[in-house]
Every structure is written in C-alpha cells, then in structure tokens.
Amino acid sequence: MALENSVFTLRPESLSLPVVEKGEVLVEEATKVTVSTGVFHVSEELGHVVTTDTAQPSANRSWKSKLAERQANAASDEYVKKLPRVMEKERGRFGWAKRRKRQRYVEKNGRCNVSHGNMRETYRYLTDIFTTLVDLNWRCSLFVFVMAYAITWLFFGAIWYLIAYLRGDLEHLEDETWTPCVNNVNGFISAFLFSIETETTIGYGYRVITDQCPVGTMLLLLQAILGSMVNAFMVGCMFVKISQPNKRAETLVFSKNAVISLRDDKLCLMFRVGDLRSSHIVGANMRAKLIKSKQTQEGEFIPLDQTDISVGFETGDDRLFLVSPLVISHEIDPRSPFWDMSQGQLEKDDFEMVVILEGMVEATGMTCQARSSYLADEVQWGHRFSPMMSLAEGFFDIDYGAFHQTFEVDTPSCSAHELSLAAARLEAHLYWSISSKLDEEKWEGSSLTNQSGKQLDNEKGGVFGPTFIVGEITRIQEQSGPGELNGCVTTDQSESEA
C-alpha cells in the first residue's frame, strides 16, 4: 500500500535500518544506536523508511525532506523539555494518579456556576417584568431605557402628525384664518418635537394645542398619563439597579484557604472573613453548606446534595459583629459531616464548602449577601491563621497583609471520631487505674470502716449492705449476692459484718 508523506508517531529504543537512495546501490547503516524521536517518513517514490534521527543526512535529499527533518527535531526537543513538567503535574499527591479537578458550584467571587437551559416557560419572565429588567446587564438596561422613551415619543409624534394630516392643517399652513389642532406643526419632525415637549413637560411655548381640537385634547391627556407611567417605571428600574448591594459584597472578603486544627482539644474547620469598609454590616449572619454528591441506601443518586454545616447556630456564634476580621469556626462533632474525615481522606475526598455572609448595609438599609467556596484541596490540615491585630496608641491596628496567611501547628492526622475514641479510652484507663489503686488500699487496712471513714447502718430487715465511696461514685451492694465496685471490688453481707 502506497503512502505519501505519512508520519507515524512510534518511539522505538533503537533503529538501524539501511538507507537506500533510488537509482543507486548505496547502503548506509547507522553506526550509533540512539533514541529516536519516533518520526518516520514513508515515500512512495523511495519505497523505504527514512528516519530523521539515526540516519546520516544525505547530500542528495531534497529541501522538503530536510525541512521535515528540522521540524521533527524541533518538535522532539520541545516535547522532551515539556515532558518532566507534564509528568510532575500528572504525579499528584498520592503517586502518579492525579485527582480530577472539581467543577466549582460557586466561584470564589460568589458567582453561582449554574446555567439554566431548555426552559420552555419563558413567559414567566414577562409576568415579573420589573425584576427581569433589573436583572439585565447594564448594556441591555441602557438599551431598554433609551428605547422605551424613543418609542413612546415616536408613537405619539406619529399620532400628532396623523391628526394634523387628517384635519387638513398641513394644507392650510399659509392660511391665517385657519385654526389648526396644534400651532406651528408643519410636518412629522415638528409633530415629533411637540410629542417630546408634551411628555417631558418642557413647554417651549412655540407649539401649542388649540381649543378647536377635542381629539388633540384627549390625546394630550393620554400621553401625559402614559408618559408619567413610563417615567416611573424606567426611573424606578434604574434606581433599583444602581442601588443594588451587589457591589457592597466586593468589600466583604473571605480567606483563600480554610484550615483544620485543634481548638480547645477539638478538631475545628475554620475560615476567615473580613469587611474592608468602615461602614459596618448590620445584623451579619454566617451560614455554610457542604456540596457533595451522594447515593442513598436505596440506590438513588443525589447530585450536589446540600448538607448544613453548623457555625454556631445553637450558641449564637453565627451572628457576627463584623468590625474586625473574624475566624469562623466549625466544631467537628458527631453531627458534623467531617466527623470521620482524616487527613488522608481529605487529600482524596471531593467536596465543596459554600460559605454565605448575609447582612444589611448600614448606608442604604438593603440586604447584602457575599458568597465564596472552598474545595477539598483548598482546606489545609494542620494550619492556623496568622494574627493580624495589634494594639496601637489609642486604637487597634488591623494588618490586612496577613489576612490570608497561615502557619503550621501540631495537629493529629486522624479523624475527629478516632480522636474522640482515643481520648475516651485514655480517660477510661486513668479512671479505672486510679479506682483500682484506691480499692486496694482500702482492703489492705485492718478495718474497712477505718479506711473509708464512714459506715452505714443496716436497715431494718437487713436489705442493704455497706456503701463504698471511690472517687465520686457511690455504690450500694445488696445483701442477697456479691456486689461489684468499679469492676475490681467484690463484697457481701458476711464480709462487711466481719
């Protein structure tokens, strides 16, 4: 099968094929075994394979083959240079398998990365036309604003011109005895200018409606009413759009990374939030959501399931006094979705935590919302935020240069669940050890009454036996059988009497 100027991307370790030129009995074998770049040119005329790396250049080769050889060598050199970088990127954290980057649900700047498609009930946007106009971008809003006024001016200008045309005012322009509907309207341009003067209530005084035109009087009233409605609607839309608190959220900043470290001997997930303006957010409230797909026990797959993350709702810590930057803490307890997550699992897990700050703008009184998110690789295990507040002369100085800075601290790599079990086992071991030693000391004495310092009298009928106090626990043993105290002391009625 004949192939013309075909390129194969094979990479043999060595190649020593002979090179034979057409019309000559010249065979030139490669003397050095080198690593080929993997580019082979197959020519129908030559009928053999020519390698660009191992074969020595021939004097009779055409300039096309030489150009192809140079391009192949350049591509090979560039590939070899990029190969270590590519391999380093593909290496990842746990070997060669690189974790696929998660698609954000909410961007770092707060924009929701959701596109609504295949919406067939688009008429619902027209039922709430005011909100639709407010949600438009500025380019479309300005276009609608200009077109709303231009269309109404043109529409009523055309009606004024039609009235003048039907009444014959345009035919009696030079007749001083004729009383037109509108004075000094001699064409469409003058009728359009009169429409603008009427709707904007400019009133230059040159074009005036007369009392001989009842139709013009009705049209004047209609245009005045409709013009006021258009002014109220469009000016209201522009005012709401200008006063929207979206830009206020630009000065509410979140830390680039979240951290996990110990706080009061408990693992906590923390992030920092701050307000760059001197005017404060009134009634600031913080919320957090975990965005992660899951599958139920019945096999139902729930994409982007939202789980609430407590940031102090029970204690009221979610209500912030945001005068200076604050570190928001989520205690990882049994109700937390991170209860069983260790450092190794964090490296391999795939989730997104969305944080939402809501409050009322002090200057305008409108509600503002700032959003951000943290992916799994943006959560730093064993880190803590650097302090950024210092006491100056008469005030507290905030250094926003350290807002995103963190430093490493000693943090166990196990999950909060494992840490809790280890603490419980340690506490139980100390408790039982201390109790056993106390009990042994009591039994080593000559009398149990002298050792304990207290002895209870038997009730009538001899139902209850003596009481042993070990630490803070008091147990009453029954007479009928042996009793057990702290798992190490056994007694009965006969022994107590003895």
Side-chain angles (χ1 to χ4, degrees):
M1 182 176 181
L3 298 177
E4 182 176 1
N5 295 331
S6 300
V7 178
F8 297 92
T9 58
L10 300 177
R11 297 183 58 84
E13 294 295 328
S14 62
L15 185 65
S16 58
L17 295 178
V19 179
V20 182
E21 296 294 339
K22 184 178 180 180
E24 299 180 0
V25 191
L26 176 62
V27 177
E28 183 176 358
E29 297 182 356
T31 58
K32 294 183 180 181
V33 179
T34 58
V35 178
S36 175
T37 59
V39 180
F40 303 91
H41 298 278
V42 181
S43 176
E44 184 178 2
E45 296 179 356
L46 297 177
H48 60 271
V49 179
V50 179
T51 63
T52 59
D53 281 353
T54 59
Q56 298 294 329
S58 176
N60 297 329
R61 285 188 303 169
S62 63
W63 64 272
K64 292 184 179 181
S65 60
K66 294 181 180 179
L67 180 61
E69 180 180 354
R70 292 181 180 178
Q71 293 177 353
N73 291 334
S76 176
D77 295 340
E78 185 176 359
Y79 175 79
V80 172
K81 290 180 181 179
K82 291 183 178 180
L83 185 59
R85 300 180 182 178
V86 174
M87 294 170 63
E88 185 68 24
K89 291 181 180 179
E90 295 294 334
R91 187 184 300 271
R93 298 184 180 181
F94 293 94
W96 292 96
K98 180 184 177 182
R99 183 176 60 185
R100 183 176 59 87
K101 185 175 180 59
R102 178 186 174 93
Q103 177 65 47
R104 285 187 178 272
Y105 188 65
V106 177
E107 299 291 342
K108 296 293 287 185
N109 58 2
R111 184 181 64 87
C112 296
N113 196 12
V114 177
S115 178
H116 300 279
N118 198 17
M119 295 182 297
R120 300 181 180 180
E121 298 180 354
T122 55
Y123 65 91
R124 295 182 181 272
Y125 288 98
L126 298 178
T127 58
D128 190 11
I129 187 64
F130 185 83
T131 306
T132 302
L133 293 177
V134 171
D135 290 340
L136 292 176
N137 54 35
W138 274 107
R139 185 179 301 176
C140 296
S141 296
L142 292 177
F143 177 77
V144 171
F145 184 83
V146 172
M147 293 303 297
Y149 284 103
I151 289 174
T152 54
W153 294 340
L154 289 172
F155 175 73
F156 284 102
I159 295 179
W160 285 115
Y161 176 78
L162 183 61
I163 292 176
Y165 178 78
L166 295 177
R167 290 185 77 256
D169 295 342
L170 301 179
E171 300 176 357
H172 300 81
L173 295 177
E174 302 297 334
D175 189 359
E176 296 181 356
T177 60
W178 180 263
T179 304
C181 182
V182 180
N183 291 329
N184 301 315
V185 173
N186 52 12
F188 178 77
I189 300 299
S190 58
F192 176 70
L193 293 176
F194 179 73
S195 174
I196 296 177
E197 295 176 12
T198 302
E199 189 168 339
T200 57
T201 65
I202 294 177
Y204 292 114
Y206 184 70
R207 301 176 182 87
V208 182
I209 188 172
T210 62
D211 56 358
Q212 301 297 324
C213 184
V215 178
T217 304
M218 297 296 295
L219 182 61
L220 180 64
L221 296 175
L222 180 62
Q223 185 175 4
I225 295 173
L226 292 179
S228 300
M229 294 176 62
V230 171
N231 287 333
F233 190 81
M234 298 309 302
V235 172
C237 287
M238 297 301 294
F239 175 77
V240 172
K241 191 171 183 64
I242 292 174
S243 60
Q244 274 185 327
N246 295 338
K247 297 301 180 182
R248 180 63 177 90
E250 298 292 335
T251 54
L252 298 174
V253 292
F254 295 89
S255 58
K256 294 181 180 179
N257 297 294
V259 297
I260 294 180
S261 61
L262 289 176
R263 175 176 280 190
D264 295 333
D265 294 333
K266 295 181 180 179
L267 278 178
C268 295
L269 173 65
M270 295 170 285
F271 58 92
R272 181 179 275 171
V273 60
D275 188 4
L276 302 180
R277 288 187 180 273
S278 57
S279 60
H280 309 309
I281 297 294
V282 180
N285 184 29
M286 177 62 67
R287 294 186 292 123
K289 292 285 186 180
L290 177 66
I291 310 297
K292 184 178 181 181
S293 302
K294 73 173 186 178
Q295 188 172 5
T296 62
Q297 297 179 358
E298 294 78 12
E300 179 186 2
F301 179 75
I302 303 177
L304 301 180
D305 181 61
Q306 299 184 11
T307 304
D308 187 67
I309 300 176
S310 177
V311 289
F313 176 77
E314 296 82 1
T315 59
D317 293 338
D318 60 333
R319 295 185 290 271
L320 310 178
F321 182 54
L322 198 59
V323 178
S324 61
L326 300 176
V327 176
I328 310 301
S329 175
H330 163 65
E331 181 180 336
I332 304 179
D333 53 11
R335 295 174 297 176
S336 172
F338 307 111
W339 177 242
D340 295 319
M341 185 184 67
S342 62
Q343 183 178 5
Q345 293 174 349
L346 174 63
E347 299 290 343
K348 296 180 289 186
D349 206 349
D350 187 15
F351 65 87
E352 181 177 359
M353 184 180 67
V354 178
V355 292
I356 305 171
L357 176 62
E358 294 179 337
M360 186 174 61
V361 182
E362 186 179 25
T364 61
M366 302 184 70
T367 303
C368 173
Q369 184 181 91
R371 298 179 295 267
S372 186
S373 67
Y374 299 97
L375 297 179
D377 55 358
E378 295 175 346
V379 179
Q380 298 178 342
W381 190 286
H383 282 72
R384 188 179 298 167
F385 286 106
S386 301
M388 53 184 302
M389 179 182 293
S390 60
L391 180 60
E393 185 177 357
F395 60 92
F396 294 94
D397 185 25
I398 307 297
D399 181 17
Y400 275 95
F403 184 82
H404 302 285
Q405 294 180 3
T406 61
F407 61 94
E408 294 185 4
V409 293
D410 294 333
T411 305
S413 60
C414 61
S415 64
H417 189 189
E418 297 172 350
L419 185 63
S420 177
L421 292 178
R425 286 194 297 267
L426 179 61
E427 183 179 359
H429 176 71
L430 293 176
Y431 173 76
W432 289 105
S433 300
I434 295 174
S435 301
S436 301
K437 291 181 179 180
L438 292 176
D439 294 338
E440 291 176 358
E441 292 177 358
K442 290 181 180 181
W443 286 102
E444 288 176 357
S446 59
S447 176
L448 183 61
T449 305
N450 295 332
Q451 292 293 333
S452 61
K454 183 187 295 184
Q455 183 177 8
L456 297 178
D457 296 330
N458 294 334
E459 298 289 338
K460 294 180 179 181
V463 178
F464 297 98
T467 302
F468 298 92
I469 302 176
V470 181
E472 298 180 353
I473 298 180
T474 302
R475 297 289 180 88
I476 300 177
Q477 307 298 331
E478 296 185 358
Q479 178 186 5
S480 57
E484 181 180 356
L485 179 61
N486 287 336
C488 61
V489 179
T490 304
T491 183
D492 55 14
Q493 182 67 20
S494 61
E495 292 176 351
S496 64
E497 292 178 356

